[in-house]
Amino acid sequence: MSRTAIVSAMHEELRALLPLLERPQQAEFAGRRFHLGQMMGRPVVLVLSGIGKVAAATTAALLLHEVEVERIVFTGAAGGLGAGVRVGDVVVARELLQHDMDASPLFPRFEVPLTGRARFPSDPALSDALAAATLHCLNDARTRIGEAHLADFGIDSPLLHEGLVISGDRFVATAPESEQLRKLLPDALAVEMEGAALAQVCADFGAPFAVLRTISDRADDSAHVDFSRFIVEVASVYTREIVASWLEGASFA
Ligand code: ADE
């Protein structure tokens, strides 16, 4: 059976997934530990990418070239940009763009030079399946996450959003900066620091990928408040539950 990679940006997220790994084995490339094994009876590899576009690109290239995975799912947190994208919601990316890519006037703003495009689509079937698993898990977020944690973060009825996710090598933590991104890219739902780099590498390799993000903040002046606690108490739990539910029902061979 073909192997699926599940990539986390942060230790806390990987830590939540590792207990689900059966028959674990390890391999190391370029200072990264790749945790191979089975999850829900399917071959997987779990790995920490580290934070930022270069870390994500290196990890994706190693997964595709050294570990020879068939598909990559990147999980983690993101700042909400779109109206109605609230803390505790989940975003499944349908397209990804590097918001800090700017080789203008040589190339249009955001376009990755010599590729002719700024937006890289995620794999439709993989994203559909993750979106379905997300809806299933959000329906009983109360039991999965716990009323107390949800109330703590002001989360009421978490929603799924699907569309454009933008990535750049900065944690967006001021209202003017997120306002500027909204103005330049009005359809952007969320901002994070890795997804579009993964997308570019997967496009080079012709490999299917998807990006799943829990909204941890609104990319404004309070974006850093409670960030680590949110990752541990909410985002990591969502990721674990959604990935397990998706793998359980996955239709790929
Ligand atoms: N990941 C989670 N929140 C983020 C933010 N505000 N900016 C960039 N990456 C993020």
Side-chain angles (χ1 to χ4, degrees), residues 77-79 170-173 191-193 216-217 219 223 227:
R170 45 194 304 130
F171 188 83
V172 179
V191 59
E192 36 85 309
M193 301 179 67
S216 55
D217 60 88
F227 185 73

Side-chain angles (χ1 to χ4, degrees), residues 124-149:
L126 204 48
S127 303
D128 284 351
L130 277 168
T134 302
L135 280 178
H136 175 72
C137 292
L138 288 183
N139 278 339
D140 49 20
R142 289 206 145 55
T143 13
R144 289 171 196 265
I145 311 267
E147 192 74 57
H149 286 329

Side-chain angles (χ1 to χ4, degrees), residues 19-179:
L20 300 184
L21 194 67
E22 297 142 29
R23 292 194 257 145
Q25 290 187 335
Q26 294 188 0
E28 279 201 32
F29 301 104
R32 285 158 177 76
R33 185 162 301 158
F34 294 80
H35 303 266
L36 298 125
Q38 301 235 331
M39 209 183 259
M40 303 296 154
R42 295 178 179 279
V44 296
V45 54
L46 309 179
V47 64
L48 185 71
S49 75
I51 296 172
K53 292 192 301 175
V54 174
T58 304
T59 308
L62 289 169
L63 283 168
L64 294 164
H65 196 259
E66 300 289 342
V67 188
E68 298 186 354
V69 303
E70 287 292 321
R71 61 193 72 75
I72 302 181
V73 174
F74 201 106
T75 67
L81 284 179
V85 180
R86 296 172 305 172
V87 170
D89 288 356
V90 174
V91 175
V92 170
R94 293 294 177 162
E95 326 180 88
L96 295 109
L97 170 149
Q98 297 175 45
H99 68 76
D100 54 357
M101 175 59 76
D102 187 358
S104 61
L106 302 181
F107 297 90
R109 186 153 185 195
F110 305 125
E111 187 170 300
V112 178
L114 310 178
T115 68
R117 55 185 168 152
R119 293 174 183 234
F120 289 71
S122 60
D123 183 71
L126 204 48
S127 303
D128 284 351
L130 277 168
T134 302
L135 280 178
H136 175 72
C137 292
L138 288 183
N139 278 339
D140 49 20
R142 289 206 145 55
T143 13
R144 289 171 196 265
I145 311 267
E147 192 74 57
H149 286 329
L150 291 182
D152 242 19
F153 290 101
I155 302 169
D156 185 18
S157 316
L159 298 174
L160 165 69
H161 307 269
E162 299 175 65
L164 176 66
V165 169
I166 60 176
S167 315
D169 281 322
R170 45 194 304 130
F171 188 83
V172 179
T174 67
E177 195 180 348
S178 51
E179 198 41 56

